[in-house]
C-alpha cells in the first residue's frame, strides 16, 4: 500500500523521537506509543479474539492477523497484510500513527509494509480490538458509537463473522466481499470471490474471475431456500437489507455460539460452528452442496434433481431445445415451453412446487404486496415470466417477479418453494384433456359399450385439436419417423387460404407461406408444388433429414400435412427471415454489428458440425448459402432447406452423383466439376458464407476494379499481402474485435481451399473460431475467378445469375 511522502517523513521522525513502550499484558488497544511486535498480542476485552503475528501452515512468511483466543485449533479470521508477507520480522512493528493510520512498519528504514487506508484525520487515533472481532480505528476522545475511521469488518479477507455486513455501502461506493486464501500456507487472495449481488432481489454470488460459479437464492424468511438445515435451526438469524444507502447480508446466532462463514480455497462457502464439548469445528452448512449446484447447469427452464439420472430435466410442460445435446449431457441450451406463450390472448400461471427459486438477477420485488396482487402485476407485463412469495414465514407476504427466462432451478426435497410460471392458456385445456383420459379409463370398468362410445368421443376431440400423430415420412427408407400431422383445413385457415399476402417467398421446391395458428403460434408453411416429381424427392429428403434432428441452429420442423395432392411442411416462423435479405442490403445490414455477425458465423458452424458429426445419421446439406440461413428474433442463425440434403449411415462421408445440384458461388470445385460431394463440400460453402458475412458482399457477382477475381480470390489476395482487414465491410466497426475478425477471415479461407483434404472438418473449424491457437497457412482457394466456375460445367442455366438453386446435368 502506497502512502504519501509527507506521511513517510512523519513516520521517520516519529520513529526516531518517540519513546516506545512495549505492549502491556492483556490490552485491547494499540496507540501511537503502544506498539505491537512479533511475539506480542493484543486481546479483545472479553477475551474472544487475539491479534498478533502468525505463520500460516508450513509457510516461511509471517503475517499480522486475528484469531480466536479460546479455540485450541488456531483459526485465523482476518489477515492485515495478506498480499505482502514479511519473511524477517526483526524491526517490524504494528502501530498507529497520526493522523489516524494503522500501519505495519519497518523501523530500520521507516518503510510502510501495510496500512489501513483511512479517509478521516483525527488528533488522537487509537486502534481497538472489539469482542466482535472488529479491529477499529477511532479517535480516543470520541465515544460516539460506530464513529470509526476504519474497521476491519469493512475490509474482510475470507471470513464473515456474526455482525459483519457482506455487500454494498452505496454512499461510499465500497463493497465488502470475501475472497479465500490461496491455500492453507498462503493467505493471499485466491481465484474466487464471494459477493452480494444487489441487482434484482439480492443473491450471494460465488465468482471465479468473472465467471459465476454458483448463486444462492433469495431468503424466504426461513433461511436460504436451498439450505434445508438452516430452516430447522431456530437459533440462526440472518438479515438481508436493501435500501438506498446499503445492500448487505449479515447473520448471527441467538445463543453465544462461536461461528464463522468462510470461503474455502476451492470456492465453497462454508458455515462452521465450534463445538466446545469436542473442541472442534463442524460444518453447519456448505454451498455448493454438490457438483450440480453449479450456476445454471441445466439451462433455461431446466431443473436439476440430484436424485435423478441424468440430473437435468425440463420442468413439466417444457421440452429440451436441443434434444441431441441432452443425450450428450450438454444441457446448456435448456428447455422451451412445449406450447408457445401468447400474451395477448391471455396467458395463465401454473404452480410448480418444491424448487430452488430461479436466479433473481432480473427480478423485481415488493415486500408488502400480497400474492394475488403479485399475480395481477405479473400478468399485465408480458415479459414477466413468473412470480412467487417473497417471505414464506409467518403465513407469507411479499411479491417477487421474474423477467427473462428462468435459470438455475433445482428440485429440492424438503425446503423448496412454490413458484407460478407463465404458460399458454391452452396448457390449462391440455390438463383438462388428461382428465378426460382418466374418465375414459374409469368407463372401462362400466362396460364395453360405454367404452366404445367414449373412445369415439375422445378420438373426435383429439382430431379437432389436429395434433394427430401419424407417420409422416413413411415412403422414405426410415420407417420410424413420427412427426405431428396437421390437417389441411387447419393449415389453410392459418395461412388465410394460402393468400398471396401470406407468401414469404419461393423455397427449394415450392412457395413458402406465413401462417398463424389459433393458439397464436407463428409458422412457415412450405408447400410442394403440385405435379412436381423432383419436388417430391426433395420433400421426402427434407422430412427424413430434419424430422429426427433438432438443434438450436437448425430450423425446427413442427409437422407436416399430406392430404390428397397436397404436401406441406410446417416450420417455426423466423421473424428476421433469411440472412441474405439483411446481409446484402445496404440499409438493413447496419443492424448486423460485428458481435452479431460473429454469433451468426459460430451458430452456422455449430449447426453444420451437428449435421456432419453429432447426429446418428451423417447429413450433407449440399445447398448451404445465405438465403438458407434463417434468423430468429434474436438473430440466432438456423440452417434451413434440407431438400437437397443427403443422409449417410455409419462411416460414409461422401458420394458421387450425376445430378449436380447446388448454388453457384457456394459449390466446391470437386462437386461442381466431378459431382463428388462430401462433408468437405459443405465446409467449402461454409467458408464462402463466412467471407460473405465479413465483407457483406456476395461471392458471386463480386467485382473489383483491379482484378477479375471473385470474393474468394480477393480475400486471398488481401490475406497474402497481410491486408485482410480491408475485406471487412466498410460500414462495420470492428475496432476492439480485430483478432476475431482476422481469425474468421483466416478460417473462411481455410474452408475454401482448393483441395478437400486441406479443408478443416466442421468440428475443427468450430474450435478454430473459438480458440486463440495458431492457424495453419491457407492455401489458394478453389474457384477464385468467376470464369473457373462457369467454364467448368457444360450447362449453365439462366438461373445461375441470381442465387437460385440450380440443377446441372453433368456430362462426364
Ligand atoms: C533478521 O534480520 C536481522 C537484521 O535485520 C538479522 O540479524 C537476523 O539474523 C535476521 N533473521 C533471520 C532469521 O534471517
Ligand atoms: C527493513 O529495512 C531494512 C533496512 O533497509 C531492510 O534490510 C529489511 O529487509 C527491511 N525489512 C523488510 C521486512 O522489509
Ligand atoms: C481502501 O483501499 C481499497 C483498495 O485499494 C479501496 O478500494 C478503498 O476504496 C479504500 N478505502 C478508502 C476509505 O479510501
Ligand atoms: C408495494 O406494494 C404496496 C401495496 O400494493 C404499495 O403501496 C407500494 O407502493 C409498493 N411499493 C413499491 C416500491 O412499489
Ligand atoms: C415490464 O417490466 C419490465 C421490467 O420491470 C419493464 O422494463 C417494462 O417496462 C414492463 N412493461 C410494461 C408493459 O409494463
Amino acid at each position: 500500500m502506497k502512502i504519501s511522502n509527507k506521511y513517510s517523513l512523519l513516520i521517520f521522525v516519529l520513529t526516531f523521537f518517540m519513546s516506545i513502550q512495549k505492549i502491556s499484558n492483556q490490552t485491547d488497544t494499540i496507540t501511537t506509543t503502544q506498539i505491537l511486535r512479533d511475539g506480542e498480542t493484543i486481546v479483545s476485552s472479553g477475551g474472544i479474539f487475539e491479534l498478533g503475528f502468525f505463520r500460516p501452515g508450513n509457510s516461511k512468511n509471517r503475517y499480522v492477523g486475528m484469531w480466536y483466543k479460546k479455540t485450541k485449533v488456531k483459526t485465523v479470521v482476518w489477515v492485515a497484510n495478506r498480499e505482502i508477507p514479511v519473511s524477517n520480522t526483526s524491526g517490524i512493528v504494528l502501530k498507529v500513527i497520526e493522523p489516524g493510520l494503522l500501519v505495519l512498519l519497518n523501523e530500520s528504514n521507516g518503510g510502510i509494509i501495510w496500512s489501513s487506508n483511512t479517509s478521516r484525520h483525527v488528533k488522537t487515533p487509537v486502534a481497538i480490538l472489539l469482542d466482535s472481532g472488529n479491529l477499529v480505528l477511532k479517535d480516543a476522545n470520541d465515544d460516539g458509537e460506530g464513529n470509526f475511521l476504519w474497521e476491519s469488518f469493512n475490509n474482510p479477507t475470507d471470513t464473515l463473522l456474526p455482525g459483519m455486513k457482506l455487500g454494498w455501502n452505496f454512499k461510499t461506493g465500497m463493497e465488502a466481499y470475501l475472497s479465500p486464501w490461496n491455500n492453507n500456507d498462503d493467505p493471499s487472495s485466491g481465484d474466487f470471490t464471494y459477493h452480494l449481488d444487489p441487482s434484482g432481489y439480492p443473491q450471494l454470488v460465488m465468482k471465479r474471475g468473472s465467471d459465476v460459479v454458483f448463486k444462492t437464492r433469495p431468503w424466504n424468511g426461513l433461511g436460504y431456500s436451498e439450505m434445508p438445515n438452516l430452516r430447522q435451526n431456530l437459533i440462526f438469524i440472518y438479515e438481508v437489507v436493501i435500501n438506498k444507502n446499503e445492500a448487505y447480508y449479515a447473520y448471527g446466532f441467538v445463543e453465544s455460539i462461536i461461528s464463522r462463514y468462510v470461503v474455502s480455497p476451492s470456492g465453497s462457502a462454508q458455515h462452521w460452528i465450534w463445538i466446545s464439548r469436542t473442541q472442534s469445528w463442524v460444518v453447519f452448512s456448505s454451498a455448493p452442496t454438490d457438483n450440480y449446484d453449479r450456476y445454471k447447469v441445466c439451462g433455461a427452464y431446466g431443473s436439476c434433481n440430484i436424485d435423478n439420472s441424468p440430473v437435468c430435466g425440463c420442468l413439466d410442460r417444457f421440452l429440451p431445445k436441443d434434444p441431441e445435446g441432452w443425450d450428450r449431457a450438454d444441457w446448456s441450451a435448456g428447455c422451451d415451453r412445449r406450447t408457445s406463450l401468447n400474451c395477448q390472448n391471455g396467458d395463465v400461471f401454473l404452480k410448480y412446487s418444491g424448487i430452488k427459486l430461479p436466479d433473481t438477477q432480473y427480478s423485481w420485488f415488493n415486500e408488502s404486496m400480497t400474492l394475488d396482487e403479485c399475480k395481477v402485476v405479473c400478468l399485465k407485463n408480458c415479459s414477466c415470466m413468473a412470480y412467487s412469495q417473497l417471505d414464506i414465514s409467518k403465513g407469507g407476504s411479499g411479491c417477487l417477479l421474474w423477467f427473462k427466462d428462468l435459470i438455475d432451478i433445482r428440485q429440492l426435497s424438503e425446503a423448496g418453494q412454490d413458484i407460478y410460471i407463465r404458460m399458454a392458456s391452452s396448457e390449462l385445456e391440455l390438463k383438462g384433456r388428461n382428465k378426460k383420459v382418466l374418465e375414459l379409463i374409469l368407463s372401462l370398468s362400466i362396460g364395453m359399450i360405454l367404452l366404445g362410445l367414449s373412445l369415439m368421443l375422445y378420438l373426435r376431440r383429439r382430431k379437432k385439436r389436429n395434433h394427430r400423430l401419424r407417420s409422416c415420412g413413411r415412403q422414405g427408407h426410415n420407417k420410424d419417423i413420427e412427426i405431428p400431422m396437421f390437417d389441411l383445413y387447419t393449415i389453410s385457415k392459418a395461412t388465410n387460404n394460402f393468400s398471396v399476402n401470406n407468401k414469404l417467398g419461393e423455397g427449394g421446391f415450392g412457395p413458402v407461406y406465413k401462417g398463424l395458428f389459433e393458439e397464436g403460434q407463428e409458422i412457415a408453411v412450405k408447400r410442394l408444388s403440385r405435379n412436381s416429381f423432383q419436388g417430391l424427392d426433395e420433400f421426402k429428403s427434407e422430412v427424413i433429414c430434419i424430422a429426427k434432428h433438432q438443434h438450436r441452429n437448425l430450423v425446427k420442423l413442427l409437422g407436416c400435412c399430406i392430404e390428397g395432392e397436397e404436401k406441406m411442411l410446417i416450420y417455426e416462423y423466423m421473424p428476421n427471415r433469411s440472412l441474405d435479405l439483411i446481409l446484402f442490403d445496404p440499409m438493413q445490414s447496419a443492424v448486423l454489428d460485428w458481435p452479431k455477425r460473429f454469433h451468426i458465423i459460430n451458430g452456422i458452424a455449430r449447426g453444420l458440425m451437428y449435421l456432419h458429426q453429432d447426429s446418428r445419421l451423417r447429413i450433407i446439406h449440399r445447398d448451404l448459402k445465405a438465403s438458407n440461413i434463417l434468423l430468429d428474433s434474436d438473430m440466432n442463425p438456423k440452417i434451413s432447406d434440407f431438400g437437397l440434403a443427403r443422409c449417410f449411415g455409419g462411416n460414409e462421408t461422401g458420394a458421387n452423383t450425376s445430378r449436380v445440384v447446388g448454388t453457384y458461388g457456394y459449390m466446391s470445385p470437386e462437386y461442381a466439376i466431378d459431382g463428388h460431394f462430401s462433408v468437405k463440400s459443405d465446409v467449402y460453402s461454409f467458408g464462402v458464407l463466412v467471407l460473405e458475412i465479413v465483407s457483406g458482399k456476395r461471392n458471386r457477382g463480386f467485382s473489383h476494379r483491379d482484378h477479375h477475381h471473385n470474393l474468394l480470390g480477393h480475400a486471398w489476395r488481401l490475406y497474402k499481402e497481410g491486408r485482410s482487414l480491408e475485406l471487412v465491410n466498410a460500414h462495420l466497426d470492428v475496432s476492439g474485435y480485430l483478432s476475431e475478425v482476422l481469425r474468421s477471415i483466416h478460417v473462411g479461407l481455410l474452408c475454401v481451399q482448393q483441395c478437400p483434404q486441406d479443408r478443416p472438418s466442421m468440428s475443427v473449424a468450430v474450435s478454430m473460431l473459438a480458440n486463440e491457437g495458431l492457424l495453419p497457412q491457407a492455401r489458394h482457394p478453389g474457384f477464385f475467378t468467376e470464369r473457373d466456375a462457369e467454364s467448368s460445367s457444360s450447362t449453365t442455366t439462366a438461373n445461375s445469375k441470381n442465387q437460385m438453386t440450380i440443377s446441372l446435368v453433368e456430362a462426364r
Side-chain angles (χ1 to χ4, degrees):
M1 222 160 272
K2 272 246 149 50
I3 209 129
S4 77
N5 285 338
K6 204 170 80 187
Y7 291 155
S8 315
L9 187 68
L10 187 70
I11 292 150
F12 188 72
V13 173
L14 285 171
T15 325
F16 269 73
F17 295 101
M18 302 257 307
S19 65
I20 288 164
Q21 296 170 12
K22 281 200 77 155
I23 290 270
S24 59
N25 268 350
Q26 295 289 301
T27 171
D28 62 353
T29 52
I30 304 176
T31 65
T32 48
T33 55
Q34 285 181 308
I35 288 171
L36 186 76
R37 292 179 191 278
D38 196 354
E40 302 164 351
T41 59
I42 61 167
V43 177
S44 64
S45 62
I48 311 262
F49 286 99
E50 187 166 27
L51 182 92
F53 287 80
F54 75 100
R55 182 191 308 285
N58 299 317
S59 169
K60 292 208 166 61
N61 292 323
R62 293 190 75 77
Y63 297 83
V64 170
M66 187 193 305
W67 53 87
Y68 296 95
K69 171 101 177 128
K70 286 177 177 165
T71 64
K72 275 220 186 94
V73 189
K74 186 161 190 172
T75 311
V76 175
V77 295
W78 183 74
V79 185
N81 56 323
R82 69 186 304 193
E83 309 292 348
I84 321 145
V86 180
S87 51
N88 183 344
T89 53
S90 112
I92 307 297
V93 298
L94 185 70
K95 65 178 292 186
V96 172
I97 58 172
E98 285 179 57
L101 295 163
L102 180 68
V103 294
L104 190 60
L105 186 78
N106 187 343
E107 283 185 310
S108 16
N109 62 3
I112 290 196
I113 296 158
W114 172 89
S115 159
S116 67
N117 53 353
T118 315
S119 48
R120 272 193 308 133
H121 297 179
V122 294
K123 281 247 168 58
T124 47
V126 57
I128 302 177
L129 180 58
L130 304 178
D131 262 339
S132 58
N134 197 5
L135 178 65
V136 302
L137 204 57
K138 55 175 262 186
D139 187 346
N141 300 324
D142 181 355
D143 284 333
E145 185 82 3
N147 229 349
F148 303 137
L149 307 181
W150 175 90
E151 50 190 311
S152 65
F153 268 18
N154 287 341
N155 298 271
T157 53
D158 65 338
T159 304
L160 191 75
L161 294 172
M164 249 166 117
K165 296 173 177 178
L166 184 65
W168 291 85
N169 181 329
F170 297 129
K171 282 201 291 199
T172 62
M174 295 220 294
E175 186 201 4
Y177 63 90
L178 304 180
S179 66
W181 288 24
N182 248 315
N183 54 57
N184 288 340
D185 299 342
D186 176 10
S188 65
S189 324
D191 295 345
F192 295 93
T193 51
Y194 197 43
H195 305 260
L196 178 111
D197 176 4
S199 53
Y201 196 68
Q203 309 178 83
L204 293 178
V205 180
M206 182 74 74
K207 287 182 175 177
R208 179 173 210 153
S210 55
D211 298 337
V212 172
V213 182
F214 71 85
K215 295 191 176 187
T216 63
R217 226 36 101 227
W219 295 267
N220 55 17
L222 297 175
Y224 296 105
S225 56
E226 78 262 41
M227 290 187 192
N229 324 15
L230 299 195
R231 296 185 65 180
Q232 283 124 29
N233 203 304
L234 297 172
I235 50 170
F236 177 81
I237 35 176
Y238 63 86
E239 202 181 5
V240 182
V241 170
I242 181 162
N243 57 41
K244 65 178 194 302
N245 295 329
E246 51 188 353
Y248 66 84
Y249 164 75
Y251 76 94
F253 284 86
V254 172
E255 292 169 47
S256 60
I257 281 176
I258 295 181
S259 76
R260 61 200 171 96
Y261 190 42
V262 184
V263 180
S264 78
S266 59
S268 134
Q270 300 164 338
H271 213 135
W272 295 83
I273 49 181
W274 178 256
I275 308 293
S276 46
R277 191 174 46 83
T278 59
Q279 290 290 297
S280 61
W281 290 103
V282 297
V283 177
F284 172 63
S285 72
S286 169
T289 48
D290 51 64
N291 269 344
Y292 297 99
D293 241 1
R294 272 190 350 252
Y295 182 51
K296 61 180 181 189
V297 64
C298 297
Y301 301 107
S303 159
C304 176
N305 187 345
I306 193 72
D307 298 328
N308 287 354
S309 174
V311 294
C312 284
C314 287
L315 288 175
D316 189 21
R317 303 180 192 88
F318 287 79
L319 298 171
K321 257 189 192 164
D322 171 14
E324 303 283 337
W326 282 67
D327 291 348
R328 292 193 312 274
D330 170 8
W331 300 295
S332 53
C335 311
D336 256 341
R337 285 175 180 76
R338 66 180 182 197
T339 315
S340 304
L341 292 178
N342 186 353
C343 189
Q344 276 73 34
N345 284 8
D347 291 329
V348 295
F349 288 94
L350 296 182
K351 178 162 140 183
Y352 290 75
S353 297
I355 66 172
K356 166 183 169 182
L357 294 179
D359 186 1
T360 55
Q361 184 171 1
Y362 304 104
S363 68
W364 177 92
F365 66 96
N366 177 323
E367 283 162 342
S368 56
M369 268 160 70
T370 65
L371 199 59
D372 285 339
E373 290 169 334
C374 196
K375 177 178 178 178
V376 171
V377 173
C378 193
L379 194 59
K380 272 191 201 145
N381 187 326
C382 291
S383 49
C384 180
M385 288 302 151
Y387 67 93
S388 86
Q389 218 152 47
L390 195 57
D391 189 338
I392 59 173
S393 65
K394 294 177 247 124
S397 66
C399 168
L400 185 53
L401 304 181
W402 279 265
F403 299 94
K404 304 204 175 182
D405 286 344
L406 307 179
I407 52 174
D408 207 21
I409 299 170
R410 233 189 128 131
Q411 206 71 43
L412 297 174
S413 42
E414 37 186 324
Q417 275 184 255
D418 293 342
I419 184 173
Y420 301 83
I421 301 180
R422 181 183 285 272
M423 287 290 157
S425 50
S426 61
E427 284 290 354
L428 269 186
E429 293 158 27
L430 287 177
K431 252 171 72 188
R433 210 179 64 184
N434 286 341
K435 258 196 205 136
K436 289 262 150 41
V437 179
L438 251 173
E439 281 165 17
L440 185 137
I441 291 165
L442 265 174
S443 67
L444 251 171
S445 59
I446 297 173
M448 283 308 279
I449 305 158
L450 253 168
L451 169 81
L453 261 172
S454 50
L455 192 69
M456 258 172 66
L457 269 171
Y458 174 64
L459 286 178
R460 269 244 182 97
R461 201 171 283 271
R462 283 199 64 156
K463 192 165 177 184
K464 252 197 202 141
R465 281 205 51 81
N466 73 49
H467 283 274
R468 200 151 35 115
L469 280 178
R470 224 200 303 157
S471 181
C472 199
R474 191 154 278 162
Q475 301 99 319
H477 48 268
N478 201 332
K479 286 266 191 293
D480 58 16
I481 292 172
E482 289 234 319
I483 53 174
M485 187 94 150
F486 295 87
D487 58 34
L488 186 58
Y489 173 76
T490 312
I491 302 300
S492 157
K493 200 166 157 216
T495 56
N496 264 332
N497 204 12
F498 303 101
S499 135
V500 189
N501 295 335
N502 282 38
K503 192 163 157 182
L504 292 169
E506 231 13 91
F509 51 73
V512 183
Y513 297 89
K514 182 181 175 178
L516 183 68
F517 278 154
E518 270 173 6
E519 306 94 85
Q521 184 175 19
E522 292 182 313
I523 53 167
V525 180
K526 264 171 99 167
R527 189 185 198 187
L528 173 67
S529 316
R530 288 179 202 200
N531 316 321
S532 156
F533 283 116
Q534 181 188 324
L536 188 60
D537 283 345
E538 293 174 357
F539 180 86
K540 286 184 197 165
S541 154
E542 179 134 6
V543 170
I544 292 160
C545 283
I546 195 155
K548 289 222 103 177
H549 300 106
Q550 298 225 340
H551 184 272
R552 85 197 85 151
N553 296 115
L554 301 183
V555 69
K556 190 152 114 203
L557 182 66
L558 301 175
C560 66
C561 166
I562 303 178
E563 251 178 70
E565 296 285 281
E566 290 286 0
K567 293 181 180 55
M568 280 169 265
L569 293 177
I570 293 98
Y571 287 96
E572 58 178 339
Y573 174 70
M574 293 288 135
N576 281 314
R577 322 240 333 239
S578 59
L579 177 62
D580 59 326
L581 299 179
I582 299 179
L583 184 62
F584 302 129
D585 181 304
M587 303 296 287
Q588 293 238 40
S589 61
V591 304
L592 292 180
D593 57 10
W594 175 256
K596 287 207 186 77
R597 287 181 197 227
F598 194 55
H599 176 72
I600 291 172
I601 290 172
N602 279 300
I604 300 169
R606 282 193 296 264
L608 202 53
M609 173 171 88
Y610 170 77
L611 288 178
H612 286 178
Q613 281 157 1
D614 289 350
S615 48
R616 284 154 226 156
L617 282 180
R618 187 189 293 281
I619 295 175
I620 297 174
H621 187 284
R622 294 210 297 170
D623 199 16
L624 195 68
K625 55 180 172 179
S627 58
N628 282 344
I629 304 299
L630 304 184
L631 298 170
D632 72 6
S633 53
D634 297 325
M635 290 286 179
N636 293 311
K638 313 240 177 186
I639 300 173
S640 77
D641 212 328
F642 290 76
L644 303 183
R646 288 294 184 85
C647 311
F648 294 90
N651 297 326
E652 288 173 279
T653 56
N656 284 301
T657 179
S658 59
R659 196 176 137 234
V660 174
V661 288
T663 303
Y664 269 147
Y666 294 95
M667 269 193 279
S668 64
E670 75 278 5
Y671 180 45
I673 298 171
D674 298 325
H676 183 76
F677 63 92
S678 67
V679 289
K680 294 296 180 74
S681 42
D682 273 357
V683 170
Y684 181 93
S685 312
F686 170 73
V688 175
L689 250 175
V690 170
L691 296 173
E692 289 187 334
I693 292 170
V694 173
S695 65
K697 299 200 174 63
R698 291 181 196 274
N699 181 30
R700 215 181 136 70
F702 174 88
S703 70
H704 195 278
R705 60 192 141 74
D706 299 340
H707 56 73
H708 60 277
H709 289 174
N710 62 12
L711 181 66
L712 306 191
H714 179 57
W716 194 54
R717 271 171 77 121
L718 291 173
Y719 165 81
K720 275 193 306 180
E721 293 165 16
R723 297 159 50 201
S724 280
L725 280 178
E726 291 174 34
L727 187 70
V728 177
N729 188 331
H731 304 294
L732 196 58
D733 179 10
V734 292
S735 54
Y737 307 105
L738 294 183
S739 82
E740 265 174 31
V741 172
L742 290 172
R743 178 160 288 269
S744 302
I745 295 173
H746 197 149
V747 171
L749 283 167
L750 289 171
C751 290
V752 297
Q753 293 175 108
Q754 169 88 36
C755 279
Q757 307 86 283
D758 291 344
R759 297 172 207 149
S761 67
M762 278 321 295
S763 60
V764 172
V766 164
S767 84
M768 282 175 164
L769 285 167
N771 299 310
E772 289 293 311
L774 212 59
L775 299 176
Q777 279 288 315
R779 301 192 184 181
H780 76 78
F783 284 160
F784 53 91
T785 66
E786 281 289 282
R787 232 161 292 146
D788 291 345
E790 269 161 38
S791 59
S792 69
S793 96
S794 49
T795 44
T796 308
T797 69
N799 273 346
S800 61
K801 274 283 174 283
N802 54 42
Q803 297 284 309
M804 293 273 284
T805 299
I806 53 144
S807 185
L808 303 177
V809 178
E810 174 60 22
R812 270 199 301 157

